[in-house]
Amino acid sequence: MKPVRTLADALGAGVLVLDGGLSNQLGAQGCDLTDALWSARLLADGPEQIEAAHAAYVRAGARVLITSSYQATFEGFARRGVDRAEAARFLARSVDLARAAAGRVREEVWVAASVGPYGAMLADGSEYRGRYGLSVRELEAFHRPRIEVLAAAEPDVLALETVPDVVEAEALLRAAEGCGVPLWLSYTVEGGRTRAGQDLEEAFAVAAGNDRVVAVGVNCCDPADAGPAVELVAAVTGKPAVVYPNSGERWDAGARGWRGAVAFDPARATDWAAAGARLVGGCCRVGPTTIAALADSLTPAGGT
């Protein structure tokens, strides 16, 4: 069942808790995510695992679930021999699975359909560099078919997330024109700039006058970068901020493992909320236990 309120109305009432990293929860459930499709592979091979992962976050207090479509693209599925019709069914399934998990509680739970960047399809880490050498028009043509399918599945919002540069943000916003679903725009950042090195004020300004965008912010970043970004969102756009950083650990590609200490402190969420954050959660390596602590530190608009 869909929530009674729109997401925009809920954000006007208070803070909503997002879920955490889907991939780390799937890994905790014993799923193998070494495939280039990452968690999107399970849309075909293990949809029950995806629903179970979403449900774990609902139990933890998340009131917004982000779908497993981040790395689900027509091009990526085609490399696995999946035709466009079947790929479209998998994309729609990602919304259905999140909606099913949301229906396990009486509280309102919103579903955000994840639209990952072009670099996620390449599966080579280039979403953390951006500047693919493609024009806004070329990137718009890549993103539009997937956005149309996801929008038709009736999520509550499209999460244009982990965007590494302004060029791709512009392309995503154009691709989503006329889709009939509200959006949030979230950059991946480092040291106060986009991953492509652009000024965050410039990056956030892309969405400042866009009425379809209900929130702007950052994700898949160090927790230390979250607070300053939230403050800048409010100053530049006047919109609610969305913020869901990583645990603080860093991926060592050579060793195929995570390194460093966990730096995600749920107590920081109150400061982010005070600065204008209305969607608060976690990304990579942030699991249900941390989301539960985050929920305890906030008063979500949807209730817990």
Side-chain angles (χ1 to χ4, degrees):
M1 181 182 297
K2 297 192 70 170
V4 174
R5 295 176 296 171
T6 67
L7 183 64
D9 286 344
L11 296 182
V15 181
L16 291 175
V17 175
L18 297 169
D19 57 11
L22 186 63
S23 62
N24 47 263
Q25 177 57 26
L26 288 168
Q29 293 171 193
C31 300
D32 180 3
L33 303 180
T34 56
D35 189 276
L37 285 174
W38 203 28
S39 56
R41 177 186 64 80
L42 296 173
L43 289 168
D45 300 343
E48 71 285 351
Q49 294 282 4
I50 294 175
E51 184 177 342
H54 286 315
Y57 284 115
V58 172
R59 290 193 300 272
R63 294 297 172 256
V64 180
L65 300 176
I66 302 174
T67 67
S68 54
S69 51
Y70 173 82
Q71 206 148 324
T73 63
F74 288 108
E75 293 80 1
F77 280 123
R79 290 196 293 265
R80 293 286 299 273
V82 177
D83 64 25
R84 290 186 72 84
E86 187 72 1
R89 284 193 286 272
F90 292 153
L91 284 163
R93 179 179 290 172
S94 72
V95 176
D96 294 340
L97 292 169
R99 190 74 74 191
R104 298 188 184 194
V105 295
R106 296 177 61 185
E107 295 85 0
E108 288 179 293
V109 178
W110 290 262
V111 171
S114 173
V115 182
Y118 177 82
M121 180 272 295
L122 300 177
D124 63 356
S126 58
E127 66 261 49
Y128 300 113
R129 299 187 296 272
R131 300 188 184 276
Y132 314 114
L134 300 178
S135 67
V136 170
R137 179 174 295 182
E138 288 170 321
L139 287 168
E140 177 187 351
F142 167 77
H143 285 296
R144 186 179 293 276
R146 179 170 51 146
I147 286 175
E148 289 175 346
V149 170
L150 287 170
E154 300 185 345
D156 301 298
V157 63
L158 292 177
L160 313 179
E161 61 174 350
T162 324
V163 181
D165 63 34
V166 175
V167 171
E168 187 155 27
E170 292 175 348
L172 282 160
L173 292 173
R174 288 190 190 183
E177 288 179 0
C179 74
V181 179
L183 325 166
W184 84 52
L185 175 64
S186 181
Y187 290 92
T188 177
V189 301
E190 186 171 25
R193 305 183 76 83
T194 70
R195 295 286 184 152
Q198 296 141 335
D199 182 80
L200 275 190
E201 185 171 350
E202 173 193 357
F204 292 152
V206 169
N210 193 322
D211 292 338
R212 295 172 300 116
V213 179
V214 298
V216 181
V218 296
N219 76 289
C220 208
C221 61
D222 191 284
D225 291 328
V230 168
E231 294 176 2
L232 191 60
V233 166
V236 173
T237 74
K239 295 179 182 290
V242 54
V243 56
Y244 47 119
N246 296 332
S247 68
E249 299 163 277
R250 292 183 177 273
W251 177 253
D252 185 330
R256 302 291 299 173
W258 292 91
R259 298 288 181 267
V262 172
F264 190 108
D265 180 2
R268 291 186 184 179
T270 55
D271 293 333
W272 300 339
R278 291 296 175 266
L279 289 162
V280 182
C283 202
C284 298
R285 302 283 285 178
V286 176
T289 300
T290 304
I291 294 302
L294 188 69
D296 285 344
S297 70
L298 298 168
T299 305
T304 53

